[in-house]
Amino acid sequence: MMRAVDVSVNTPMEVKLSIRISFGVLLALYLGTGIAAISVGGYFIHTEENSRRSIIVTKNVIALLFVAGAYIILNALVGIIAGLSPLSRKRWLQAYVWLIVIIMFVETGVGIWLWLRTLDIDDLYGHNWRHLWSDSFKRTFQDSAQCCGYLGPLDGPVMASPSCQLPSDRAFGCMTSVQKYAQSYLTYIYTGVFVLVFLSLGAMISGMILMIVRNDEERWRWTRANAIFRSMNYDTPDSTITDKHRKGTPNQSP
């Protein structure tokens, strides 16, 4: 029986504190991106209809921010539940990692889509100027940049703008102004998507590391339990076998 006691006196290995702290920090940053996405969407939703930034931050983009933010927050809550007790909540930890993988694919797809849109930015905004944007919206560009029309005064101008009252040889189009404004916002969007992907990757890696450590701990505990069980069976004699042996042994009396 002493062997079983000796085996069990060793303190079981636990998930290292440093690993749990790293997991918690990256999880908090990941949660912060979800809160930030909803906050930015809430800020933009109050944008006036004729604001210039609506050429980039459309209603679809705002809706995407709300959906992505809600998804990330729910995903982070799954991670919090898993991180409180990783040894007993393996399924929660697995779900947390796989949900991050899904959002990373979506983020990458959005980044590629935005990049493809910038390849034909001249035709895109030229078409929008001529066929989609309202006169009041176009006038905001004309008044701010002192331009008239897209390519020039004859390309979809809003004649109510003071800049369109200038002589034709002094008037110029708003194409450059529109492109510079759009490019400035696209830079912020690219940066935001990159930061989101980077933090998502860090949260995913920390979750995978925690998964590996808790699997090793689970395997170690099963090995220790089996060792204790075998030691107890080895040290405890089988009374049934002993009785049969005694009954089958003939008397050796002279």
Side-chain angles (χ1 to χ4, degrees):
M1 197 66 183
M2 287 299 295
R3 292 184 183 179
V5 174
D6 293 339
V7 172
S8 62
V9 293
N10 296 324
T11 302
M13 180 181 65
E14 297 180 354
V15 177
K16 291 183 179 180
L17 182 62
S18 59
I19 295 177
R20 300 191 68 170
I21 291 177
S22 299
F23 175 81
V25 169
L26 290 171
L27 175 59
L29 292 174
Y30 181 62
L31 175 62
T33 60
I35 297 174
I38 292 182
S39 300
V40 172
Y43 172 76
F44 283 140
I45 204 171
H46 296 292
T47 302
E48 296 181 0
E49 187 68 21
N50 294 327
S51 176
R52 292 189 299 167
R53 64 169 167 255
S54 62
I55 66 173
I56 297 296
V57 187
T58 62
K59 293 181 179 180
N60 291 334
V61 173
I62 294 175
L64 182 63
L65 285 173
F66 280 115
V67 172
Y71 181 95
I72 292 173
I73 290 175
L74 292 176
N75 190 4
L77 291 178
V78 172
I80 291 173
I81 295 174
L84 292 176
S85 182
L87 295 177
S88 61
R89 296 172 180 172
K90 180 179 180 180
R91 299 297 184 186
W92 286 90
L93 190 56
Q94 289 175 334
Y96 169 70
V97 173
W98 279 110
L99 288 173
I100 295 180
V101 172
I102 294 173
I103 193 63
M104 286 185 62
F105 276 110
V106 174
E107 293 163 359
T108 303
V110 170
I112 295 174
W113 174 73
L114 289 173
W115 176 73
L116 292 175
R117 282 176 61 89
T118 60
L119 296 180
D120 59 347
I121 192 170
D122 295 340
D123 295 335
L124 174 65
Y125 292 125
H127 173 80
N128 292 345
W129 181 284
R130 300 180 186 102
H131 304 287
L132 299 180
W133 294 344
S134 64
D135 287 348
S136 58
F137 182 77
K138 291 187 287 186
R139 184 174 177 177
T140 59
F141 275 102
Q142 292 186 164
D143 292 344
S144 62
Q146 294 299 305
C147 55
C148 182
Y150 188 71
L151 296 177
L154 300 179
D155 188 11
V158 179
M159 300 307 297
S161 294
S163 56
C164 289
Q165 306 303 321
L166 298 173
S168 58
D169 58 340
R170 295 177 55 189
F172 58 91
C174 299
M175 181 181 69
T176 303
S177 175
V178 171
Q179 290 179 355
K180 287 182 178 180
Y181 186 83
Q183 192 62 41
S184 65
Y185 260 88
L186 286 173
T187 300
Y188 289 120
I189 293 175
Y190 285 141
T191 303
V193 171
F194 174 78
V195 171
L196 186 57
V197 171
F198 179 78
L199 292 177
S200 299
L201 180 62
M204 183 189 70
I205 292 176
S206 68
M208 294 175 66
I209 292 174
L210 184 60
M211 174 69 70
I212 293 173
V213 172
R214 64 90 44 213
N215 288 343
D216 288 342
E217 163 67 5
E218 185 179 56
R219 189 180 305 109
W220 184 89
R221 291 190 177 190
W222 276 106
T223 302
R224 178 64 61 176
N226 289 334
I228 294 174
F229 182 75
R230 289 195 301 268
S231 177
M232 293 178 64
N233 286 342
Y234 179 80
D235 289 333
T236 303
D238 192 330
S239 58
T240 303
I241 297 177
T242 303
D243 293 340
K244 290 182 179 180
H245 178 73
R246 289 175 178 176
K247 291 179 180 179
T249 301
N251 293 331
Q252 299 295 331
S253 57

